[in-house]
Amino acid sequence: REQYEWDHGHIEGAKLWPLSRIMQGYLPDIEKNADVILQCQKGYRSLQAAQILKTRGFRNVTNLIGGYEAWL
């Protein structure tokens, strides 16, 4: 999610790492074998982010289907 969405609510314990940053080549500073669950507002951008991270060697990446809206 982008900063303005994050500011309106987010899942406790989540880390902010917007798709826009990932698309610019800024990858999260986490182990490539760590369990990663991605979520955006509805699940579309996080799916894109998951695909990018997988192509960059992250092994355990999951997209939260339906995103933050479904989680609520």
Side-chain angles (χ1 to χ4, degrees):
R1 301 179 74 206
E2 296 296 328
Q3 183 69 55
Y4 69 93
E5 295 168 305
W6 177 267
D7 293 343
H8 283 83
H10 55 273
I11 297 172
E12 185 176 336
K15 306 282 188 231
L16 177 62
W17 206 270
L19 175 61
S20 60
R21 288 184 54 85
I22 292 172
M23 292 180 77
Q24 293 171 352
Y26 298 105
L27 301 178
D29 186 25
I30 55 175
E31 298 283 329
K32 290 204 173 184
N33 63 350
D35 292 328
V36 178
I37 301 171
L38 300 172
Q39 57 92 21
C40 62
Q41 189 66 28
K42 296 185 182 203
Y44 303 113
R45 288 173 290 161
S46 54
L47 180 59
Q48 283 182 276
Q51 292 169 339
I52 293 168
L53 292 180
K54 286 178 183 178
T55 64
R56 301 284 173 86
F58 290 84
R59 295 178 194 94
N60 302 313
V61 179
T62 303
N63 178 43
L64 179 63
I65 297 172
Y68 182 68
E69 286 185 5
W71 179 83
L72 285 176

